[in-house]
Amino acid sequence: MKELKSYGWYAARISPLLPEEAFKPVPTRLWGGLAYLLITVAGFLIIGLIEPPLWVSLIISVIVGLCFAGLGLLGHEILHGTVVRKAWLRDFLGAIAFWPLTTGPQLWRNWHNMNHHIYTQDEHRDPDAWLSKEQLAKYPLLIVLYKLPLWVRATISFVSLSFSFTLHSARMFFRSLKNFHSNKKPKVWIQFILPWATWISLLFFMGPVKWLLAFLIPLFIGNFIVMSYISTNHRLNPLVTVNDPLANSLTVTVPKWVDFLHFNFSYHTEHHLFPGISPKYYPLVKQHILNMWPERYHQMPLVNAMIALLKTPRIYYEETELVDPNHHHLYGTLGHGLDLDQYKYRVEGEAYLPTGTDIKQRDS
């Protein structure tokens, strides 16, 4: 097993190789957000006022959903301070960008910037890390879920991508509220309530059918796109005791035009090394990583990563394996024997074979 290094260890070696402008905010990124916002407003007006044929409204719903996703991905970038640095403007723009996905800027920075980034894939401290086998006993619903056949679980998991960001955001609001000082809690509550009040008010203003087309379907699409990235960022990686982005993060590859539309969000290992620089420079960071530590770096096409998620369980066993708790099948993680060709496993309790592979292989 390779020795784990902290993100600071890597960053200290790459930082001198980056241009000075890489560490400055890039406000021109807001033009993309403005385009998404204008298209969204136009879609609402067309569906709400013009009442086009259903098939046209459905096409508009898809386009608005793509805009919801793009705004959310830009909101993530804005709230890391890489677009503008003034705190009030950062939070204002971040709030607008995250409005469709109903996430407030104060909550996001506490949950994501101050906890997920600092404690990535720490079993006990990362709010986004999946459970270990020991923790599973606290979640009876998951125990029942894992008694279902793999294809049923995979289907449920795939469908849940269409709402799990918004659902997890609401869960993190109530979980994180205790982290805020009493004088800041009213602002956090307002940032949580206002987006929901907006979208519920829109339901009464537009009526249920138009609201479904203008907001709910786009919300599902936006969630699905955002969660397609988020779910592949870390869930194939092991749990770690040291925040090593080359061990606990995965960069997915997508066509260049998708990277353009999604603000280079696919470069996730790079983001965890340098959350404070604009994703505009992440391709350059990637090249330096590949030059220095190619054997540590994990990347794969987004579609392949999604397939791997559907073919493996999400419960961790002793940090470096994934376990199906009902059948006691153990799958590797990235860097620890994950078989991306046939998804073979070993049975819990069986010893490793002294071969060149990481796991005793069985047909799954």
Side-chain angles (χ1 to χ4, degrees):
M1 182 186 298
K2 300 181 182 71
E3 180 186 359
L4 296 176
K5 306 289 187 180
S6 71
Y7 61 90
W9 186 90
Y10 295 109
R13 286 154 178 78
I14 295 178
S15 292
L17 306 177
L18 298 176
E20 185 178 343
E21 59 266 23
F23 299 93
K24 298 177 180 179
V26 184
T28 54
R29 309 283 278 181
L30 293 172
W31 288 113
L34 179 61
Y36 284 136
L37 183 60
L38 292 175
I39 293 170
T40 297
V41 172
F44 282 5
L45 292 174
I46 292 170
I47 291 173
L49 300 178
I50 299 177
E51 301 184 20
L54 179 60
W55 67 271
V56 175
S57 293
L58 287 171
I59 292 174
I60 294 172
S61 288
V62 172
I63 293 171
V64 172
L66 298 175
C67 292
F68 277 14
L71 284 167
L73 297 175
L74 178 61
H76 164 262
E77 185 175 331
I78 291 170
L79 291 174
H80 271 295
T82 65
V83 178
V84 295
R85 290 278 162 82
K86 288 186 178 180
W88 72 266
L89 184 59
R90 176 203 62 205
D91 283 1
F92 174 72
L93 294 171
I96 293 173
F98 266 128
W99 207 274
L101 299 178
T102 67
T103 302
Q106 296 268 5
L107 168 64
W108 180 257
R109 289 193 296 108
N110 181 274
W111 150 30
H112 180 78
N113 296 16
M114 299 174 63
N115 284 280
H116 169 65
H117 265 273
I118 294 174
Y119 306 115
T120 309
Q121 287 295 88
D122 182 304
E123 176 182 349
H124 303 289
R125 306 181 77 175
D126 181 0
D128 297 335
W130 268 75
L131 304 174
S132 66
K133 187 179 179 183
E134 292 71 29
Q135 294 171 318
L136 182 63
K138 302 175 185 178
Y139 298 87
L141 184 60
L142 280 178
I143 294 174
V144 173
L145 180 63
Y146 269 93
K147 293 183 183 297
L148 299 174
L150 176 60
W151 72 268
V152 176
R153 300 200 312 262
T155 302
I156 294 172
S157 177
F158 186 77
V159 171
S160 72
L161 296 178
S162 64
F163 57 82
S164 52
F165 181 87
T166 297
L167 183 65
H168 186 52
S169 177
R171 174 176 175 266
M172 288 307 304
F173 170 78
F174 292 104
R175 177 176 168 180
S176 302
L177 201 57
K178 65 180 183 297
N179 298 336
F180 294 95
H181 192 274
S182 57
N183 63 357
K184 290 188 176 181
K185 285 184 180 179
K187 181 186 289 188
V188 179
W189 268 104
I190 290 170
Q191 292 175 357
F192 175 71
I193 291 170
L194 279 180
W196 282 109
T198 302
W199 303 125
I200 292 170
S201 297
L202 194 67
L203 168 61
F204 291 101
F205 178 75
M206 300 183 78
V209 175
K210 292 180 182 179
W211 184 78
L212 175 73
L213 292 164
F215 173 68
L216 195 58
I217 292 176
L219 180 65
F220 289 150
I221 293 170
N223 266 263
F224 185 88
I225 293 171
V226 169
M227 285 306 301
S228 294
Y229 284 113
I230 292 175
S231 63
T232 55
N233 289 162
H234 308 287
R235 294 181 187 177
L236 294 171
N237 298 82
L239 297 175
V240 293
T241 54
V242 175
N243 188 357
D244 183 333
L246 270 65
N248 63 25
S249 303
L250 170 67
T251 286
V252 294
T253 55
V254 295
K256 289 187 181 298
W257 63 269
V258 176
D259 268 333
F260 174 77
L261 292 175
H262 292 165
F263 305 99
N264 279 355
F265 194 83
S266 64
Y267 291 85
H268 207 69
T269 301
E270 295 77 5
H271 173 62
H272 272 259
L273 281 179
F274 290 101
I277 74 171
S278 172
K280 174 182 177 180
Y281 297 98
Y282 286 164
L284 180 58
V285 173
K286 178 177 180 176
Q287 282 304 119
H288 289 307
I289 296 173
L290 290 173
N291 289 339
M292 297 181 185
W293 310 286
E295 75 289 350
R296 288 176 173 259
Y297 185 70
H298 299 296
Q299 66 173 328
M300 71 175 77
L302 176 60
V303 172
N304 292 19
M306 293 284 291
I307 292 171
L309 284 177
L310 298 175
K311 287 182 174 287
T312 55
R314 300 272 67 79
I315 305 301
Y316 283 96
Y317 177 82
E318 295 184 355
E319 297 186 343
T320 60
E321 291 182 289
L322 297 163
V323 59
D324 183 326
N326 191 41
H327 298 97
H328 306 286
H329 296 164
L330 298 175
Y331 298 78
T333 55
L334 289 172
H336 298 273
L338 176 60
D339 179 0
L340 293 171
D341 295 320
Q342 300 183 47
Y343 298 98
K344 294 179 179 180
Y345 59 82
R346 72 182 182 95
V347 176
E348 185 177 355
E350 291 188 353
Y352 286 89
L353 289 178
T355 66
T357 60
D358 290 334
I359 57 174
K360 178 179 179 180
Q361 296 186 336
R362 289 174 172 263
D363 291 328
S364 59

